[in-house]
Amino acid sequence: MKHLRRDISARLSFLLLLAALAACVSTPDSARDSERTMKDVRAVLDAQAAAWNRGDIAGYMDGYERAETTTFISGDTVTRGWQTVLERYKQHYDSREKMGTLTFSELEIKPLSPFYAVATGRWQLARAEDTPHGRFTLLLRRTDAGWRIVLDTTTSA
């Protein structure tokens, strides 16, 4: 009986040691994961600016999750649903002149978890007659298609 307890104790100790080693080996490098998330989110925003600047609103909208829960907030208006947000952009920016040239600056990207990140920054449109600008806060979610905006709060100065 004493031998059996010692054997069980030894096996249990060995299993705990293996579990501890596995935890150490499988722990993700959070700094590397954060850098990757920031790079991937930045790529989404860069692709959006490039699409906007070639007059491609549908391409710009590829940065948003194609879901009914996608939300855009500007001023006192809340727009829900990817398709509805697309239609809003098409209505407000129905010509290249109104679209102007989009730039993002002061961009800060903060990973919140392996599946969510927040991005904040400034936006500006350079147009012939004016240069509207403001700030934005984006909540992005990692989807099967990559990082996508699920909540966009944009203000104008």
Side-chain angles (χ1 to χ4, degrees):
M1 187 70 139
K2 202 175 194 181
H3 178 66
L4 182 60
R5 281 188 202 158
R6 202 174 19 198
D7 188 45
I8 291 173
S9 178
R11 287 182 184 192
L12 184 58
S13 295
F14 180 71
L15 288 174
L16 288 172
L17 177 62
L18 281 178
L21 287 172
C24 291
V25 170
S26 65
T27 300
D29 181 354
S30 61
R32 189 174 354 145
D33 291 345
S34 290
E35 287 175 21
R36 179 66 183 189
T37 295
M38 290 187 288
K39 180 183 172 193
D40 291 348
V41 168
R42 179 62 192 240
V44 170
L45 299 177
D46 288 346
Q48 280 193 300
W52 185 273
N53 292 335
R54 64 177 183 268
D56 181 5
I57 292 177
Y60 176 83
M61 285 297 297
D62 284 342
Y64 290 85
E65 184 176 31
R66 290 180 184 252
E68 289 302 312
T69 54
T70 296
T71 304
F72 179 84
I73 301 169
S74 181
D76 194 33
T77 304
V78 177
T79 306
R80 289 189 176 82
W82 183 89
Q83 186 65 42
T84 310
V85 174
L86 171 64
E87 291 166 6
R88 181 195 179 284
Y89 273 116
K90 285 184 173 182
Q91 178 184 14
H92 284 83
Y93 301 97
D94 59 358
S95 70
R96 283 295 296 130
E97 292 75 28
K98 287 182 183 176
M99 290 180 76
T101 300
L102 175 65
T103 56
F104 295 130
S105 61
E106 298 180 29
L107 192 60
E108 291 184 32
I109 300 165
K110 296 177 184 168
L112 302 175
S113 76
F115 301 100
Y116 287 93
V118 66
T120 60
R122 295 178 59 95
W123 64 271
Q124 180 172 318
L125 292 180
R127 303 190 292 203
E129 302 297 321
D130 61 357
T131 54
H133 61 280
R135 296 198 172 267
F136 61 85
T137 301
L138 308 172
L139 178 64
L140 295 97
R141 185 171 76 84
R142 191 175 71 182
T143 69
D144 291 340
W147 287 95
R148 295 294 182 263
I149 300 164
V150 295
L151 175 62
D152 177 346
T153 300
T154 297
T155 63
S156 297

